Amino acid sequence: MSNQSVVVIGGGPAGLREATTVAELGQQVTLIEKRSYLGGMPIAENYSNLTPYFMQADEAMGAIISHLQSLDGVTIMTDTTVTACTGEAGNFSLAVQGKDGPASVEAGAIVLATGFQHFDPGRETQLYGYYEFPDVIALQDLEAMMKEGNIVRPSNGEPPKRVCFVQCVGSRDRQIGNEYCSKVCCGIASKEAIEIREALPDTEVFIFYIDMRMYGYWESQIYWPAQEKHHVQYVKGIITEVLPKNGQLLVRGEDTTMGRPMEVMMDMVVLSVGMEPSVGTREMSALLGVKQNKYGFVEAVNAPLDTVTTSQAGIFAAGAALGPADLEDCTSSGGLAAAKAIGTIRRSMAVAG
Amino acid sequence: MSNQSVVVIGGGPAGLREATTVAELGQQVTLIEKRSYLGGMPIAENYSNLTPYFMQADEAMGAIISHLQSLDGVTIMTDTTVTACTGEAGNFSLAVQGKDGPASVEAGAIVLATGFQHFDPGRETQLYGYYEFPDVIALQDLEAMMKEGNIVRPSNGEPPKRVCFVQCVGSRDRQIGNEYCSKVCCGIASKEAIEIREALPDTEVFIFYIDMRMYGYWESQIYWPAQEKHHVQYVKGIITEVLPKNGQLLVRGEDTTMGRPMEVMMDMVVLSVGMEPSVGTREMSALLGVKQNKYGFVEAVNAPLDTVTTSQAGIFAAGAALGPADLEDCTSSGGLAAAKAIGTIRRSMAVAG
């Protein structure tokens, strides 16, 4: 007898979409989240506004969480981690550890939505002084500042007069092993640059980039207005060093368009850190025996014409657990993964009679 | 009494994924395709290999078509166009015109998967001589050549010794009204460049680009090997003119990295034409009363946390009907759209009792 319930592991944008889709299709779903709250990175890292439409992150995530909670057949387990998995497609049994101790959850199919973590800019190369100089921050630190409506230099609490973003920190970098492009950082940095310009109209904002990867509509939604309406200054260049100097930050590198060395003074430097598989993605992949690619993300074994099937029958993945992903990717792949999970259960039931 | 069937309009990658997903979930689906065959652009335009894994296009599309045909509850109508639509979510009635004359198709929900067309490089600006000079071709023309295993200059039937790709033809261009980036052209041009280098090892291949938008894994899957293994030569530059000269093509522009004018001789020029809404996307959107964005693509009114819902209840869209999309986008959004369509039918039935 096969089990008709789907287990979704991870309560961020992809996992919420999966659980919602399963429930909307009339199937039982259990959403397991190790944090004490749902919403994933946008909530955990205090994102201010979502890319590309500047939707307030709390409100947007809150709306989809409320909708999920309103649906029949949904069980949400926060503060819960998966500790073991036995069985097979149609009949999985998960051991979980929650607030109230260990428990068991049965499922016909499993969807991994365990997401990403931000690259740690203190690691190995690209040492831009994130841990040394208070005014060197990362994309998510600026989100949290903007959420509080308080864009200031951490060193002195004053609004910065000159801010720059350094792109590709932890991405496109063979030395650290992350050869891939993290896909979203160009868009997010540009969105944040616009928000700085709106909040602090006298502040100059620069973005140092290798290629501006504003694919699809991001080009017209973010990149053009950033330049034309908000006067964000894009400079094709490589930043090699950030040093403190006279109470500011000296940013050294090469302006690759002008073909000359560049030294500029900034009040604040924002590192556009890339995406890496989260600890949860690594741990759950190993626990479930799902093949990971060389970077530790879950491998979609039938891509590109099936984006969510993993190496294990009955186990699917969606969102940034599969690699760099924007919100639209998470939403779409979450929907396909949910449908695939239910399809697995239907087939198991047909076989089981 | 609501209708339990889903109608999918368009039989390309997104539509095939939608129809497959609906059928795998046990629901009736009718796939309507105006061409006499399924497979969409990869088949219609004779693509050789799919990006990024170099899967043979005929085989890959053939496999998903065969799988769809093997499922229960699937009706495929080729050579068929939709001529009218009445009703509402839960109860649509479509008038269609097929090989055997007019017919009527009932549906509880509709999914638009009418896709894109390649930008016509003879239109308005960016006049690179596509219609004047035989050795100026477009991405899809080269695909068709490669499918036949015969990469030659159309003017003389000889293999080219020097080939260049010109990026952003019909994209990122306000004058023609396509401000968006078409997203896939950097990847496809690079894939084709690799294939030329493999087929013709003595041929030099150049790619003239503004930004190399090799987002996500395309960076490590295509861009790095193109440079390091296959020695494709990437030049950041703007091409302004292509002229015939001494039996070759004189390509004029600016090398923006070197900051100087550039004149190079080529045997063949490949225009990396962008994506525009197909005639089907424009016509079906109008016929169904679905809101289009300023470019004519279908508007996803709840993006980014719902990528497939249109302005009309019960009508969803997926793939390149929504805007520039790679195969993974088409697959993922196809899955979500299928699930959303079935969800609509479930709700209608619950209301109808």
Side-chain angles (χ1 to χ4, degrees):
Chain A
M1 177 64 190
S2 64
N3 188 288
Q4 293 195 49
S5 175
V6 174
V7 160
V8 173
I9 306 175
L16 289 166
R17 171 54 61 195
E18 287 154 10
T20 301
T21 303
V22 171
E24 285 179 345
L25 292 175
Q27 211 83 14
Q28 302 279 323
V29 61
T30 300
L31 177 57
I32 299 176
E33 167 58 52
K34 70 177 177 182
R35 296 191 179 103
S36 59
Y37 50 86
L38 299 179
M41 280 304 217
I43 303 303
E45 293 280 6
N46 295 298
Y47 291 1
S48 174
N49 295 306
L50 301 180
T51 307
Y53 300 107
F54 299 86
M55 294 163 73
Q56 206 272 320
D58 278 349
E59 279 176 28
M61 298 312 296
I64 57 175
I65 293 166
S66 298
H67 174 60
L68 175 64
Q69 288 168 332
S70 75
L71 297 171
D72 290 335
V74 176
T75 304
I76 295 170
M77 303 174 82
T78 51
D79 293 301
T80 302
T81 53
V82 177
T83 55
C85 177
T86 56
E88 58 185 9
N91 265 307
F92 290 107
S93 182
L94 298 170
V96 303
Q97 181 69 39
K99 272 178 295 196
D100 306 320
S104 175
V105 179
E106 312 302 312
I110 298 171
V111 187
L112 263 179
T114 39
F116 75 101
Q117 64 188 24
H118 296 101
F119 174 76
D120 178 349
R123 222 187 80 196
E124 301 164 39
T125 63
Q126 299 179 318
L127 298 170
Y128 298 122
Y130 182 74
Y131 290 105
E132 289 81 11
F133 317 131
D135 295 337
V136 178
I137 64 174
L139 284 180
Q140 68 272 26
D141 302 322
L142 182 55
E143 286 289 337
M145 277 188 194
M146 295 192 301
K147 189 175 178 182
E148 296 200 339
N150 192 32
I151 304 171
V152 293
R153 301 175 61 186
S155 66
N156 64 8
E158 298 288 320
K161 291 283 182 203
R162 288 167 64 88
V163 178
C164 76
F165 291 78
V166 178
Q167 297 305 108
C168 299
V169 177
S171 304
R172 305 181 68 177
D173 185 336
R174 182 173 286 161
Q175 281 187 271
I176 56 163
N178 297 354
E179 292 104 347
Y180 55 83
C181 157
S182 289
K183 190 172 185 179
V184 303
C185 335
C186 285
I188 292 171
S190 296
K191 180 207 69 116
E192 292 186 2
I194 290 173
E195 290 174 290
I196 294 175
R197 290 281 304 152
E198 285 183 329
L200 305 171
D202 295 332
T203 298
E204 288 187 283
V205 181
F206 302 82
I207 299 184
F208 297 110
Y209 69 97
I210 309 176
D211 296 281
M212 250 304 127
R213 294 194 164 163
M214 307 295 276
Y215 51 83
Y217 294 136
W218 286 12
E219 175 83 8
S220 43
Q221 285 168 340
I222 312 175
Y223 190 34
W224 290 45
Q227 294 173 81
E228 296 181 344
K229 184 174 172 200
H230 301 285
H231 307 292
V232 174
Q233 298 177 60
Y234 288 85
V235 180
K236 188 169 162 72
I238 310 279
I239 302 304
T240 50
E241 203 173 23
V242 177
L243 295 168
K245 185 173 177 184
N246 303 333
Q248 286 184 296
L249 293 163
L250 171 66
V251 177
R252 275 200 182 127
E254 188 195 337
D255 180 324
T256 46
T257 300
M258 305 302 284
R260 64 186 180 201
M262 173 171 61
E263 288 199 351
V264 286
M265 297 300 292
M266 294 287 157
D267 294 322
M268 199 157 85
V269 172
V270 186
L271 304 180
S272 291
V273 291
M275 285 183 167
E276 292 193 328
S278 67
V279 172
T281 290
R282 291 180 189 275
E283 288 182 352
M284 287 301 105
S285 300
L287 187 142
L288 297 171
V290 161
K291 188 177 176 193
Q292 295 168 265
N293 65 22
K294 64 191 275 202
Y295 312 115
F297 289 108
V298 180
E299 182 139 321
V301 296
N302 294 333
L305 296 172
D306 169 358
T307 47
V308 301
T309 293
T310 73
S311 62
Q312 288 286 354
I315 304 182
F316 304 91
L322 292 162
D326 61 31
L327 283 171
E328 303 209 347
D329 297 334
C330 293
T331 303
S332 293
S333 62
L336 178 60
K340 281 275 184 188
I342 297 176
T344 298
I345 291 169
R346 286 191 76 252
R347 279 196 304 283
S348 300
M349 291 178 66
V351 171
Chain B
M1 176 67 189
S2 63
N3 188 289
Q4 293 194 48
S5 176
V6 174
V7 160
V8 173
I9 306 175
L16 289 167
R17 171 53 62 197
E18 287 155 11
T20 301
T21 303
V22 172
E24 285 179 345
L25 292 175
Q27 212 83 13
Q28 302 279 324
V29 62
T30 300
L31 177 56
I32 299 175
E33 168 58 52
K34 71 177 176 182
R35 296 191 179 102
S36 59
Y37 50 87
L38 300 179
M41 282 302 218
I43 303 303
E45 294 279 7
N46 296 298
Y47 291 180
S48 175
N49 295 306
L50 301 179
T51 307
Y53 300 107
F54 299 84
M55 294 163 73
Q56 206 272 318
D58 279 348
E59 279 177 28
M61 299 311 297
I64 56 175
I65 293 167
S66 298
H67 174 60
L68 175 64
Q69 288 167 332
S70 76
L71 297 171
D72 291 335
V74 177
T75 304
I76 296 171
M77 304 173 82
T78 51
D79 293 301
T80 302
T81 53
V82 177
T83 56
C85 177
T86 54
E88 59 186 7
N91 264 307
F92 291 108
S93 182
L94 298 171
V96 304
Q97 180 70 39
K99 274 178 293 197
D100 306 321
S104 175
V105 180
E106 313 302 310
I110 298 170
V111 187
L112 263 179
T114 40
F116 75 101
Q117 64 188 23
H118 296 103
F119 175 75
D120 179 349
R123 222 188 78 196
E124 300 166 39
T125 62
Q126 299 180 318
L127 298 172
Y128 298 122
Y130 182 74
Y131 290 105
E132 288 81 12
F133 317 130
D135 296 336
V136 177
I137 64 174
L139 284 180
Q140 67 272 26
D141 303 322
L142 182 55
E143 285 289 336
M145 277 189 194
M146 295 192 300
K147 189 175 178 181
E148 295 199 342
N150 193 32
I151 304 171
V152 293
R153 299 176 61 186
S155 65
N156 65 6
E158 298 287 321
K161 292 284 182 201
R162 289 167 61 88
V163 179
C164 76
F165 291 78
V166 178
Q167 298 303 109
C168 299
V169 177
S171 304
R172 305 182 67 177
D173 185 336
R174 181 173 286 162
Q175 281 187 271
I176 57 163
N178 296 354
E179 291 104 346
Y180 55 83
C181 157
S182 289
K183 191 172 184 178
V184 303
C185 335
C186 285
I188 292 171
S190 297
K191 179 206 70 113
E192 292 186 4
I194 290 172
E195 289 174 291
I196 295 176
R197 290 281 304 153
E198 285 184 329
L200 305 172
D202 295 332
T203 298
E204 289 187 281
V205 181
F206 302 82
I207 299 184
F208 296 110
Y209 70 96
I210 309 177
D211 297 280
M212 250 303 127
R213 292 192 166 166
M214 307 295 276
Y215 50 84
Y217 294 136
W218 285 12
E219 174 84 8
S220 44
Q221 284 168 342
I222 312 175
Y223 190 34
W224 290 45
Q227 295 173 80
E228 296 181 344
K229 184 174 172 202
H230 302 284
H231 307 292
V232 175
Q233 298 177 58
Y234 288 85
V235 180
K236 189 170 161 72
I238 310 280
I239 302 304
T240 51
E241 203 172 20
V242 177
L243 294 169
K245 186 174 176 183
N246 304 332
Q248 286 184 296
L249 293 163
L250 171 66
V251 178
R252 276 202 182 126
E254 187 194 338
D255 180 326
T256 47
T257 300
M258 306 302 283
R260 63 187 180 202
M262 174 171 61
E263 287 200 352
V264 286
M265 297 300 291
M266 294 287 156
D267 295 321
M268 199 158 85
V269 172
V270 186
L271 304 180
S272 291
V273 291
M275 286 183 166
E276 292 193 328
S278 68
V279 172
T281 291
R282 292 179 188 276
E283 288 181 352
M284 287 301 107
S285 300
L287 188 142
L288 298 172
V290 161
K291 189 177 175 193
Q292 295 167 266
N293 65 23
K294 65 192 275 200
Y295 312 115
F297 289 107
V298 180
E299 182 139 322
V301 296
N302 294 333
L305 296 173
D306 169 358
T307 47
V308 301
T309 292
T310 74
S311 62
Q312 288 286 354
I315 304 181
F316 304 92
L322 292 162
D326 60 32
L327 283 170
E328 303 208 347
D329 296 334
C330 293
T331 303
S332 293
S333 62
L336 178 59
K340 281 275 185 188
I342 298 176
T344 298
I345 291 170
R346 288 191 75 252
R347 279 196 304 281
S348 300
M349 292 177 66
V351 170

